[in-house]
Amino acid sequence: MKKLIALFAVIAMGSTLSSCDLDDGQNFQFTTLRVVEAQMPAFFELNEIYDIEVTYQRPNGCTFFEGFDVVKTGDTDRDVVVVGTEIVDGDIACTQAVEEVTAILQFNVIFTGEYHFRFYSGNDNEDNATYIEYTVPVN
């Protein structure tokens, strides 16, 4: 949990302290995207690679998927955050429609037992991080 909070602090500091100029003059910042669900298998097989479909919310037309930040919090515990970039140029009109999008997280099973996944799903009313959790046994 402390690593995830530190990640959010770094992202927040980086996005507020600086922005990068692209060749076309547009600016962007990194942002976390809310996970809606993940399609987890009923079980894993040891030494296999799985494509996990992760559905997240794209909050507007100026936010784009960049990848996953997967933090190993224990041998078989993973915290997963979907990372996006948001264009923050006042000259660009962005649609404000929220869209659900699916991306593939490739996961390699290297331990026996059970894997515990926590997917970041936003913050609650008290600004605490919330998660969607899954447990998948390894056969």
Side-chain angles (χ1 to χ4, degrees):
M1 180 66 165
K2 290 180 183 179
K3 289 181 181 179
L4 189 58
I5 292 171
L7 169 68
F8 290 127
V10 169
I11 290 173
M13 285 178 23
S15 66
T16 57
L17 293 178
S18 68
S19 61
C20 298
D21 286 329
L22 301 174
D23 290 339
D24 58 6
Q26 296 175 348
N27 294 324
F28 72 94
Q29 65 185 11
F30 289 103
T31 186
T32 55
L33 302 174
R34 298 181 60 221
V35 172
V36 176
E37 70 174 329
Q39 296 296 318
M40 304 297 288
F43 59 88
F44 288 137
E45 293 289 340
L46 188 62
N47 298 317
E48 294 292 327
I49 297 174
Y50 290 84
D51 288 343
I52 299 171
E53 290 186 10
V54 179
T55 303
Y56 64 92
Q57 287 184 336
R58 182 177 169 214
N60 59 48
C62 287
T63 302
F64 303 94
F65 176 78
E66 284 298 317
F68 294 98
D69 182 29
V70 181
V71 177
K72 181 178 175 183
T73 59
D75 282 345
T76 59
D77 299 327
R78 303 291 187 274
D79 286 350
V80 181
V81 176
V82 178
V83 179
T85 53
E86 181 178 14
I87 297 172
V88 289
D89 186 339
D91 295 333
I92 295 177
C94 299
T95 62
Q96 296 303 309
V98 176
E99 177 183 19
E100 288 188 1
V101 182
T102 300
I104 301 296
L105 169 66
Q106 285 196 329
F107 186 73
N108 187 8
V109 179
I110 60 172
F111 294 104
T112 58
E114 292 182 331
Y115 276 88
H116 306 279
F117 291 86
R118 295 184 341 144
F119 291 87
Y120 174 75
S121 61
N123 289 351
D124 62 16
N125 292 337
E126 296 174 359
D127 208 29
N128 297 314
T130 59
Y131 301 91
I132 299 171
E133 300 187 31
Y134 297 93
T135 299
V136 181
V138 177
N139 282 347

